[in-house]
Amino acid sequence: MDRIEMKKPTFTCGLDAALVVLGGKWKPLILYHLAHGTRRYGELRRAIGGVSDKVLIQQLKELQADGIIARVDYGEIPPKVEYSQTAFGKTLGKALAPLCEWGTRHSRDVEAVMARRKARERRQAA
């Protein structure tokens, strides 16, 4: 008797699928800055701030491998490398726009949340 196995869905929901591509602290910020146009590596690093070269390069490589961004290396010295969103990446960037708007609208509330977290962590450490 042959047994029929039901294939489990790959993702539990659409957000789960999006997070597979967006996993990583810096990827949404990379997409945000590339939504405004093509950027050279140094421009991206300065715009994002707080990210190490190693991590930024890793995140850029992952986004490129996933077809979210395109990388053009001009083979010049000094090096000239530019990054831009692909058509697929632009669809993801549009999906992130409402999240960005929410963050802008609620930034003071989020700052208060962060302050409460820090206070809680200090109390727990004491």
Side-chain angles (χ1 to χ4, degrees), residues 21-32:
V21 177
L22 282 174
K25 178 179 179 178
W26 305 104
K27 289 180 183 179
L29 289 172
I30 292 168
L31 287 177
Y32 170 80

Side-chain angles (χ1 to χ4, degrees), residues 115 117-126:
R117 282 185 187 173
K118 281 186 178 184
R120 193 169 47 246
E121 289 169 3
R122 282 193 296 264
R123 284 192 307 269
Q124 289 173 350

Side-chain angles (χ1 to χ4, degrees), residues 12-115:
T12 58
C13 66
L15 182 59
D16 191 17
L19 290 175
V20 165
V21 177
L22 282 174
K25 178 179 179 178
W26 305 104
K27 289 180 183 179
L29 289 172
I30 292 168
L31 287 177
Y32 170 80
H33 290 289
L34 290 179
H36 298 95
T38 300
R39 300 281 187 256
R40 291 184 65 179
Y41 176 81
E43 291 175 307
L44 270 177
R45 189 173 36 116
R46 284 187 298 277
I48 294 169
V51 63
S52 70
D53 283 322
K54 177 185 174 190
V55 171
L56 181 56
I57 290 167
Q58 177 187 6
Q59 302 266 288
L60 288 167
K61 284 181 180 180
E62 290 173 8
L63 286 168
Q64 181 185 4
D66 293 342
I68 304 297
I69 65 170
R71 178 183 187 271
V72 177
D73 184 343
Y74 290 91
E76 297 175 356
I77 295 186
K80 181 180 178 184
V81 178
E82 292 181 338
Y83 296 91
S84 60
Q85 288 184 348
T86 62
F88 183 46
K90 288 178 183 176
T91 64
L92 183 56
K94 286 180 184 176
L96 287 174
L99 187 60
C100 184
E101 291 169 13
W102 181 90
T104 300
R105 213 171 25 254
H106 298 284
S107 61
R108 288 189 178 165
D109 298 321
V110 174
E111 287 174 0
V113 167
M114 291 172 56

